[in-house]
Amino acid sequence: MYVQELEPVADSLTLSALVAALPLLTVLILLGGLRLKAHLAGLAGLLTAVLVACFAYSMPVGQTLSSAAQGAAFGLFPILWIVVNALWVYRMTVRTRHFDILRRSFGRLSDDPRIQALVIAFCFGALLEALAGFGAPVAICSVMLVALGFDPVRAAVVALVANTAPVAFGAMGTPVVTLAQVTGLPLDSVASVVGRQTPLLALVVPLVLVGLVDGRRGLRETWVPALACGVAFAAAQFAAANYFSAQLADIAASLAGAAALLAVPHTRVPASDAVRARVLTGARSEELDEQDPRPEIVRAYAPYALIVAIFSVAQIPAVKDWLARATRTYDWPFLNVVDPDGAPVGGNVFTWPVASTGGTLVLLAGLATAAVLGVHARVALREWAATVHELRHAILTVTSVLALAYVMNLSGQVATIGHLVAAAGAGLAFLSPVLGWFGVAVSGSDTSANALFGALQVTAARESGLSPELLAAANSSGGVLGKMISPQNLTIACAAVGLAGREGDLLRKVLPWSVGLLLVMCLIVVAQSSPVLGWMLP
């Protein structure tokens, strides 16, 4: 049996916390300072965590390695199982050219470029974030905007800022699933609180996008459809996260936002030549004028309808219980850890949700998509293998970061840091979103930031008397605002629109929005930790 210690270094909480922070500092310095690739930084951080656990915390080598193995296993299933299958569905739509049909369909919804920015960057970007994530929304939406005639810099900035509100529930809820696992909090509880924070961002982001596209004049002329889009998106995300399914939160929100835009009469009013001259500086792609048969348009929307249908059926109580029967629970080998009070920790047991996990449901939707789009079984299998190959570095990054997180959690390193951070007291509520923001800004992933800092937030919350669910959720909600300034996303945006080497220009344009919206989120969390907005929490 291994008993966690809070002060293993010279019986000092401060010195122990400094040593315990070495794995996190290693990752952050290698990523943010030395610009090392994420998977290499993750492996270096994992090695550091293992060394700290063995030599500073005296955790047996076998238990340390077993902790890392469990973290890697969780990274593969269910986290990467969701991501791979979701991206596979997207790749099949690209291969059959139904994604191009979908893109043309969006381009014809309105000829007002300000409305087009909302439909493509905000609504469709959220749908892509729900299904793929990992930079796909920024790359795809910025290219689509350039095809409509947007200036490349403006297209990239709009796509980056739009990729905020949906991130916490991206890739079929992967960030909140990870957050729940590493903190030991129920998924429904964590998703519920996140669903009471990020929808508040969704109210603001469409107005910000319209301002980015056409300044104050555009905001005066199109604030009604922008606000309608934001309200519908926020309401659907809140409802899905709290009462239905966290995995469907972004899909429901993106569809609701697009429906609200189409319902506003302003959307169908042709844009004036003056508006188009102000906003559009490039040539519009002639491909957008191609007419598509109605049956093909229906098939282009089918994959997303199938995902919604399958996840909806899976929420029916009888079906949910039936799927849960396949879940397997194991005593994890070579692991026997208790906390300083002698209570067993959750890591001693590993739960494998074979059928009920989102990745398996997306796999079923993918099989149905292949049938609807006419993708041969051999081709579908080849696309799945190609998806795994495309994500090979992301797979290594996620597994190494989660292995690092498990070693830090089970050895007691996180508990040590959490007890020290708890000294911030009430100020911790303000700082918790900043920690998530910093983690995503460096790593480019809300999932990674939740794995790194989720357990730390919970430990600090319990020591300071704040709500663990609130601070855990704040880590993810603050993190979404760091994604627009992460080197990974900036590089993806520049490469997509032909601005290679101009990441600094984009950073200067989006940084004020990132910091400004972060401040708003910090104030929201502070208010939710007090009677002012405390009534919002479940």
Side-chain angles (χ1 to χ4, degrees):
M1 179 183 293
Y2 168 70
V3 181
Q4 296 175 341
E5 289 186 68
L6 291 179
E7 302 175 356
V9 180
D11 293 325
S12 167
L13 183 63
T14 301
L15 289 177
S16 299
L18 290 175
V19 173
L22 288 176
L24 298 178
L25 292 174
T26 299
V27 174
L28 299 178
I29 291 173
L30 291 179
L31 274 175
L34 302 181
R35 298 291 181 89
L36 197 66
K37 292 186 181 298
H39 62 282
L40 297 178
L43 290 172
L46 171 59
L47 177 60
T48 305
V50 168
L51 293 175
V52 170
C54 292
F55 292 102
Y57 281 76
S58 302
M59 190 179 195
V61 175
Q63 298 219 45
T64 303
L65 297 179
S66 183
S67 302
Q70 185 178 157
F74 177 72
L76 291 172
F77 194 101
I79 300 304
L80 288 164
W81 181 239
I82 297 171
V83 174
V84 169
N85 289 325
L87 192 56
W88 173 54
V89 173
Y90 163 70
R91 284 181 62 98
M92 285 193 290
T93 66
V94 172
R95 183 180 182 89
T96 58
R97 308 193 71 83
H98 284 87
F99 180 79
D100 293 332
I101 296 173
L102 192 67
R103 181 177 63 179
R104 288 192 288 271
S105 175
F106 286 147
R108 287 191 289 267
L109 291 177
S110 172
D111 72 344
D112 188 326
R114 298 164 300 191
I115 302 299
Q116 290 174 339
L118 292 177
V119 172
I120 293 173
F122 188 67
C123 298
F124 187 54
L127 187 61
L128 290 173
E129 182 67 35
L131 297 179
F134 290 88
V138 170
I140 294 167
C141 292
S142 57
V143 168
M144 291 173 70
L145 291 174
V146 169
L148 289 169
F150 279 71
D151 171 72
V153 173
R154 180 177 291 171
V157 169
V158 168
L160 285 166
V161 175
N163 191 221
T164 50
V167 169
F169 296 103
M172 308 308 296
T174 296
V176 291
V177 170
T178 303
L179 185 61
Q181 180 69 20
V182 299
T183 59
L185 299 173
L187 174 59
D188 291 344
S189 298
V190 173
S192 179
V193 180
V194 174
R196 295 162 194 248
Q197 293 172 344
T198 56
L200 299 176
L201 285 178
L203 296 174
V204 179
V205 172
L207 297 171
V208 172
L209 295 179
V210 169
L212 287 172
V213 170
D214 195 23
R216 294 181 180 177
R217 182 183 303 180
L219 195 55
R220 286 197 305 270
E221 294 176 356
T222 56
W223 69 269
V224 173
L227 186 60
C229 177
V231 169
F233 187 102
Q237 191 180 62
F238 165 80
N242 281 275
Y243 306 114
F244 194 59
S245 168
Q247 287 89 346
L248 284 180
D250 281 347
I251 294 178
S254 62
L255 296 177
L261 272 178
L262 296 179
V264 176
H266 188 285
T267 302
R268 294 182 291 276
V269 176
S272 66
D273 292 338
V275 170
R276 298 183 66 81
R278 284 199 311 269
V279 175
L280 304 178
T281 58
R284 184 175 184 275
S285 174
E286 295 181 0
E287 179 195 357
L288 296 174
D289 297 322
E290 184 179 335
Q291 296 299 314
D292 299 301
R294 186 173 296 275
E296 292 303 309
I297 296 177
V298 172
R299 293 174 74 193
Y301 282 90
Y304 312 105
L306 286 167
I307 289 175
V308 172
I310 289 174
F311 270 84
S312 299
V313 170
Q315 297 306 310
I316 298 173
V319 177
K320 193 172 185 178
D321 292 341
W322 179 71
L323 292 173
R325 291 176 192 167
T327 299
R328 296 289 179 265
T329 302
Y330 304 96
D331 287 328
W332 192 259
F334 310 112
L335 201 60
N336 186 13
V337 180
V338 296
D339 64 21
D341 297 326
V345 301
N348 297 329
V349 176
F350 184 77
T351 301
W352 185 24
V354 182
S356 59
T357 185
T360 301
L361 298 178
V362 176
L363 177 64
L364 294 176
L367 296 174
T369 295
V372 170
L373 299 185
V375 180
H376 191 277
R378 183 174 59 255
V379 176
L381 183 60
R382 190 182 305 132
E383 285 296 322
W384 194 91
T387 302
V388 174
H389 182 265
E390 180 183 335
L391 290 174
R392 62 192 183 281
H393 289 148
I395 291 171
L396 190 55
T397 300
V398 171
T399 52
S400 61
V401 167
L402 279 161
L404 176 156
Y406 269 62
V407 171
M408 290 189 66
N409 291 346
L410 293 175
S411 66
Q413 296 172 53
V414 165
T416 298
I417 300 172
H419 278 71
L420 184 67
V421 171
L428 187 60
F430 184 88
L431 295 175
S432 56
V434 178
L435 190 59
W437 174 83
F438 182 70
V440 176
V442 172
S443 69
S445 167
D446 200 35
T447 299
S448 296
N450 287 343
L452 289 172
F453 300 128
L456 170 61
Q457 298 269 20
V458 168
T459 301
R462 286 174 175 152
E463 289 301 309
S464 60
L466 294 172
S467 164
E469 289 83 3
L470 175 62
L471 295 200
N475 191 84
S476 191
S477 298
V480 306
L481 299 169
K483 195 158 189 182
M484 69 177 84
I485 63 170
S486 70
Q488 171 184 311
N489 257 23
L490 290 170
T491 301
I492 289 171
C494 285
V497 297
L499 296 174
R502 295 185 58 183
E503 289 84 357
D505 294 340
L506 288 187
L507 177 61
R508 284 189 290 273
K509 290 182 178 295
V510 299
L511 182 59
W513 294 108
S514 178
V515 174
L517 291 172
L518 173 64
L519 177 60
V520 172
M521 181 54 65
C522 290
L523 296 176
I524 289 171
V525 175
V526 169
Q528 288 180 333
S529 70
S530 70
V532 177
L533 291 181
W535 53 268
M536 288 184 64
L537 300 181

